[in-house]
Amino acid sequence: MNTAGHSQATAPRGLELTPFRGLRYDPDRVGGLAAVTSPPYDVVVRPDGLHELHDADPHNIVRLILPQATTPAARNDQAAATLREWLTEGILTPDPYPALYVYEQRHADGMLQRGLIGTLRVSEPAEGVVLPHEDVMPHVVADRAALMRATQANLEPLLLTYRGDGGTAADLVERTAARPPLLATTTDDGYHHRLWQITDPAEVAGVQADLARHQALIADGHHRWATYRMLRAEHPSPGPWDHGLVLLVDTARYPLRVRAIHRYLPGLPIGEALAALEGHFRVRRLEGALPEALETLADAACAGNAYLLAGDGGLWLVDRPDPGLLARTVPTGHPTAWRTLDATVLHATLLAAVWDIPEDDPARVAYIHDTEATVRKAERDGGTAVLLHPVREEIVRELARQGVTMPRKSTSFGPKPATGLVLRAVDL
């Protein structure tokens, strides 16, 4: 995504990544780095996963990113007080010098991802520097903004991708990864994490000059990026809120995996969901186990919109929507690639038109990344799980280049950075 072909008058400023003094756990003060880390806040499956992490260590990072109290204000006050306490006690300590950080994730299944953690200049979508590809929910942005205001911190990095061309940044990442790491740990999901610092001014300058030629796609963290934009607008510029914490990955060298984010509908029993689909979609009950059903879904998705519904111990393939129904329910004025997305049809046709469920109501629609967890929740609680097949990355990137955002929670890029390895206090 090189911007070199633009004229000087209209060229975007490009990516501006700056060093910062990272806040990191003192490994001698906690029960191990793996015990205090967490997935990103929106990946933690409530309540089971949250409680498990909360109990894993008295200093687990979920106590900051998902504090538990009776009101939103109390939760944010609690997170701020906890962060101050940990800083005072030396549980979290600031690094002595500003740095960029090289971050590596490696898994036994062959996945290897490396990228740069720094603070990125916050920009508006119209600048064409950081490209969103999904819509956001205002109440989630407001929630994250309130937490960041209270803590005066960026508690976890967003995941952004760019398409590098073998420049200085990529070379420096590789050279740095050959050095002894600043820290290393293995989390329960099997990922091995390593972190290095880049503090040499010449190396930092080389990275910045290289990245200034590129634009980035938001892979994970649309709500937090929208929060960065909100907080930047609230504070004087120049200032610390002009930048936000990110992990930047060159996917030309380290391709990400793209998975779907599933929906759980707690107030819709599977019988009612299926009955409402009659005459609108083809519905077939599948007799195999979940892995086989997901393979069937993948095959059906090649031919058109398809979903896997689960609940009450059963699995159903839902596909072949009525063209007339799609014509009446899917908004016009968008590219064909957007109008035919599974997420578009799910939100516009299934949720809004067939099931009469408002997508903005968190009591009616939950978004869950883990496939098996979504099915278990539907079977245990009596609702309906709607499983989607992942969209291809090239479709995501092309729509983003056109300035077209996908329905919220359409994709899950990964692996996502572990939360808790490096934080940023805006006043350092």
Side-chain angles (χ1 to χ4, degrees):
M1 292 188 289
N2 197 310
T3 59
H6 294 266
S7 69
Q8 189 66 31
T10 60
R13 293 165 62 181
L15 299 170
E16 297 180 26
L17 194 69
T18 59
F20 70 105
R21 292 179 65 193
L23 290 181
R24 296 189 295 109
Y25 281 101
D26 181 344
D28 295 329
R29 302 294 305 276
V30 297
L33 290 175
V36 295
T37 60
S38 160
Y41 80 97
D42 59 336
V43 179
V44 178
V45 179
R46 299 192 193 202
D48 298 343
L50 175 59
H51 293 162
E52 180 180 343
L53 289 167
H54 195 273
D55 296 338
D57 188 282
H59 303 108
N60 190 281
I61 195 68
V62 295
R63 295 170 184 262
L64 298 183
I65 63 172
L66 291 171
Q68 298 300 289
T70 54
T71 67
R75 288 196 294 270
N76 296 329
D77 290 344
Q78 178 177 300
T82 300
L83 179 57
R84 289 194 299 269
E85 177 184 323
W86 290 358
L87 289 169
T88 300
E89 295 179 355
I91 304 300
L92 285 169
T93 60
D95 284 330
Y97 304 107
L100 298 178
Y101 296 81
V102 172
Y103 175 49
E104 175 189 275
Q105 293 165 278
R106 185 187 296 269
H107 197 276
D109 66 4
M111 167 59 76
L112 172 63
Q113 178 173 289
R114 290 177 180 147
L116 287 162
I117 295 178
T119 62
L120 189 71
R121 181 181 70 88
V122 178
S123 59
E124 295 299 313
E127 295 183 53
V129 177
V130 175
L131 305 176
H133 70 267
E134 289 183 355
D135 292 331
V136 297
M137 292 174 275
H139 74 276
V140 177
V141 176
D143 175 75
R144 290 294 102 183
L147 179 63
M148 289 189 202
R149 289 189 201 99
T151 58
Q152 292 288 290
N154 300 151
L155 300 173
E156 47 188 336
L158 284 65
L159 176 59
L160 305 184
T161 74
Y162 75 104
R163 301 290 293 177
D165 48 14
T168 303
D171 291 342
L172 182 57
V173 165
E174 299 308 303
R175 292 200 311 273
T176 303
R179 306 171 187 168
L182 191 66
L183 64 84
T185 189
T186 301
T187 46
D188 288 343
D189 57 7
Y191 276 96
H192 186 62
H193 308 262
R194 297 198 294 171
L195 193 73
W196 297 261
Q197 285 179 321
I198 299 174
T199 57
D200 179 83
E203 291 182 333
V204 170
V207 168
Q208 292 174 325
D210 185 8
L211 294 178
R213 304 179 297 114
H214 295 284
Q215 59 183 178
L217 175 74
I218 301 176
D220 184 69
H222 283 80
H223 290 90
R224 282 167 286 164
W225 183 255
T227 300
Y228 289 172
R229 290 170 48 210
M230 174 185 290
L231 293 173
R232 184 193 63 168
E234 293 175 0
H235 292 83
S237 183
W241 293 103
D242 289 348
H243 294 76
L245 187 63
V246 305
L247 166 63
L248 193 58
V249 175
D250 177 2
T251 53
R253 184 162 294 194
Y254 296 108
L256 272 65
R257 293 173 176 172
V258 187
R259 293 187 170 91
I261 301 176
H262 309 299
R263 276 63 169 164
Y264 171 63
L265 313 177
L268 182 66
I270 188 66
E272 293 182 18
L274 295 171
L277 295 174
E278 185 174 352
H280 300 308
F281 287 76
R282 183 176 69 167
V283 178
R284 290 181 289 159
R285 179 157 188 164
L286 304 179
E287 299 301 329
L290 181 59
E292 289 76 20
L294 290 171
E295 291 180 4
T296 303
L297 172 63
D299 291 339
C302 293
N305 299 118
Y307 312 89
L308 190 64
L309 268 57
D312 196 25
L315 296 166
W316 289 264
L317 180 70
V318 174
D319 64 353
R320 298 187 184 179
D322 171 44
L325 176 66
L326 297 183
R328 294 192 302 272
T329 57
V330 176
T332 58
H334 295 271
T336 300
W338 182 91
R339 300 186 78 249
T340 55
L341 287 170
D342 287 336
T344 297
V345 173
L346 171 60
H347 283 244
T349 305
L350 282 169
L351 290 179
V354 176
W355 291 328
D356 192 25
I357 295 176
E359 61 177 339
D360 287 332
D361 186 348
R364 303 285 301 278
V365 183
Y367 299 85
I368 304 177
H369 292 72
D370 185 86
T371 305
E372 293 182 356
T374 313
V375 173
R376 285 197 304 269
K377 195 163 184 61
E379 293 177 342
R380 182 184 63 198
D381 298 342
T384 295
V386 183
L387 309 182
L388 290 82
H389 184 67
V391 64
R392 298 195 310 277
E393 181 178 358
E394 56 265 31
I395 293 177
V396 177
R397 195 173 295 276
E398 183 54 37
L399 286 173
R401 284 192 181 118
Q402 297 177 44
V404 178
T405 54
M406 299 165 64
R408 61 203 59 173
K409 301 293 184 182
S410 293
T411 61
S412 175
F413 284 85
K416 304 178 190 304
T419 297
L421 294 180
V422 60
L423 293 65
R424 177 212 179 202
V426 297
D427 56 356
L428 285 179

